[in-house]
Amino acid sequence: MSIKLNDLQNYLDEKSKVLKFSHYGISSLSRPLSFELYENWLSEGLHGNMEYLVTHAPIKEKPQMKWPKARSALVFAVPYYPHPAPAASSPLKEARVSLYTQGYDYHHWFKSMLQTICDELKALLPEEEFIPLTDSSPVLERDLAYRAGIGWIGKNTCLIHPQNSSLFFIGEIYSSISLSLEAKPIHDFCGTCTRCIDICPTGALTEARKLDARKCISYLTIESREVPPLELREKIGDWFFGCDLCQTICPWNQKAFKNQLSIEKVETKTLAQEKLLEEELRWILSSSGKQIERSFQGMALSRAGGFGLKRNALVVTANRRLSSLKNEVEGLLNHPKLGELAEWALAKLCEPTL
């Protein structure tokens, strides 16, 4: 049994409306166009301690190593601002977190949406295979999305669409169906703009479309399992989890969201907001790792674990000079991994204010 491309597109058009995808595309599973650039990026060590990226590279180059029957990919985008799966209750209201993390972990609910499509396509075509994937799988997503015609790779390394901006998740369905479709790549509309490069507090965008993850605030506050280097700590500012600046400054996002997006290096807060932030950080600094992990279970914020969130709380406390939290900071001076960072934070809190 076979399915016509037009029939498949009609089906996907309808599912996109129901599941609230912003757009989708189809691509063959040939060798990624940017794979040599990716290899060079890894060889330069710009991936930091994310060694799984090295381990997964051969599968990203040739998906058939893991999924022998895979011949094509359906690539979907779902917007995350406002967040489509907001958490019913979160311990944090004022801590500054990346927009994509303001809800439940997309690896779960987005994959579940893709599984719905897989199940329906499997019922129509029982002899074919359909595999739902997110970026937790070894997929070179942005390359695949570009080939599927759902965006261009911006100078901030994110996928950008002229109508749908860049604030969206990408997910895929690998299929055994061979689809002869040559998607028309979306034109690169970055032009001479360098706002994303210029705004990065840590200089992580070393050039257009080249990110040094070791300097990226998102890496330092989410993926890293270490304390940040001394020279980067103040530059993290008040970002508690992730960073959006290279996206929110983008003219395509500013246009799409009509200046709703913050581009402040450090957020301006009212006195009441500052007091609530202090209480949130006090809870993080004084709670056990297990208590913290239980409170964020199922949420994107759980990615950093108890250690990571305490680390981030120390940095934000120091950079916002929240002197009311001195006792909580002092309580971590003897922590085996956070002691030195707590000492640094305490010194910052004791510095005279201008």
Side-chain angles (χ1 to χ4, degrees):
M1 185 183 296
S2 62
I3 187 170
K4 292 181 180 179
L5 182 58
N6 286 343
D7 293 338
L8 178 61
Q9 289 178 316
N10 289 336
Y11 165 80
L12 294 176
D13 286 342
E14 289 303 312
K15 293 307 294 185
S16 292
K17 293 176 185 176
V18 173
L19 298 175
K20 298 183 179 180
F21 297 142
S22 56
H23 53 308
Y24 74 89
I26 301 172
S27 174
S28 64
L29 277 178
S30 54
R31 188 174 190 265
L33 297 173
S34 62
F35 190 74
E36 287 184 6
L37 292 174
Y38 182 65
E39 280 189 310
N40 292 337
W41 182 75
L42 292 173
S43 67
E44 291 180 52
L46 301 182
H47 60 296
N49 292 324
M50 295 181 287
E51 288 304 313
Y52 60 88
L53 297 179
V54 178
T55 304
H56 291 164
I59 302 172
K60 291 180 176 180
E61 180 181 20
K62 188 177 181 181
Q64 291 77 15
M65 290 180 64
K66 184 174 179 64
W67 302 284
K69 294 183 180 180
R71 296 293 178 267
S72 62
L74 312 177
V75 188
F76 301 89
V78 60
Y80 60 74
Y81 183 74
H83 203 284
S89 61
S90 171
L92 303 182
K93 302 296 182 185
E94 287 300 329
R96 196 177 189 186
V97 301
S98 187
L99 295 171
Y100 88 88
T101 71
Q102 295 179 359
Y104 289 112
D105 189 342
Y106 69 94
H107 295 98
H108 305 307
W109 58 261
F110 192 10
K111 192 170 184 178
S112 178
M113 294 164 70
L114 297 174
Q115 184 65 61
T116 298
I117 297 177
C118 289
D119 293 343
E120 292 182 5
L121 288 173
K122 185 68 175 177
L124 293 171
L125 302 166
E127 73 280 13
E128 303 289 357
E129 288 190 1
F130 302 94
I131 306 159
L133 304 167
T134 64
D135 64 359
S136 60
S137 299
V139 181
L140 209 56
E141 283 197 309
R142 283 167 294 178
D143 186 286
L144 196 56
Y146 171 78
R147 286 187 283 151
I150 67 171
W152 79 88
I153 308 298
K155 291 180 182 178
N156 58 5
T157 75
C158 297
L159 195 74
I160 306 173
H161 187 276
Q163 282 79 48
N164 300 310
S165 70
S166 69
L167 302 181
F168 53 80
F169 299 117
I170 309 169
E172 303 79 29
I173 292 176
Y174 278 5
S175 172
S176 57
I177 300 175
S178 293
L179 296 169
S180 57
L181 177 68
E182 192 67 30
K184 185 179 180 180
I186 290 183
H187 181 73
D188 181 343
F189 287 106
C190 283
T192 59
C193 179
T194 59
R195 294 182 194 180
C196 57
I197 298 173
D198 299 336
I199 200 173
C200 181
T202 58
L205 289 165
T206 57
E207 59 185 72
R209 300 174 183 84
K210 189 171 185 178
L211 175 73
D212 186 343
R214 299 168 300 181
K215 295 181 179 179
C216 178
I217 293 174
S218 288
Y219 170 78
L220 294 169
T221 59
I222 303 176
E223 297 296 330
S224 175
R225 297 296 178 260
E226 306 296 331
V227 298
L230 183 62
E231 66 273 15
L232 296 180
R233 292 174 188 176
E234 287 194 28
K235 295 178 180 179
I236 292 172
D238 63 348
W239 285 104
F240 177 74
F241 192 92
C243 176
D244 290 322
L245 291 175
C246 69
Q247 292 199 83
T248 55
I249 193 67
C250 177
W252 293 99
N253 280 321
Q254 287 290 327
K255 178 182 177 182
F257 297 103
K258 303 186 188 313
N259 301 316
Q260 299 175 47
L261 306 173
S262 172
I263 56 173
E264 291 184 292
K265 291 288 185 73
V266 175
E267 277 190 331
T268 302
K269 292 186 181 294
T270 65
L271 182 60
Q273 289 172 327
E274 193 82 353
K275 289 296 183 183
L276 181 55
L277 173 63
E278 289 177 7
E279 290 307 308
E280 291 174 357
L281 297 179
R282 177 175 285 111
W283 173 74
I284 293 285
L285 292 171
S286 60
S287 298
S288 69
K290 288 185 178 180
Q291 285 176 319
I292 295 171
E293 288 168 11
R294 279 197 301 268
S295 297
F296 290 108
Q297 189 172 9
M299 298 177 62
L301 286 154
S302 65
R303 175 74 175 176
F307 162 78
L309 296 181
K310 280 180 176 288
R311 170 199 61 198
N312 300 348
L314 283 170
V315 173
V316 175
T317 296
N319 288 338
R320 289 197 73 100
R321 302 296 193 269
L322 302 178
S323 57
S324 65
L325 300 181
K326 278 184 181 179
N327 288 343
E328 286 73 23
V329 173
E330 289 174 347
L332 292 171
L333 288 174
N334 294 321
H335 191 284
K337 290 188 70 176
L338 292 172
E340 183 273 329
L341 184 63
E343 187 176 346
W344 169 83
L346 190 61
K348 291 294 178 185
L349 296 180
C350 293
E351 287 180 356
T353 55
L354 299 178

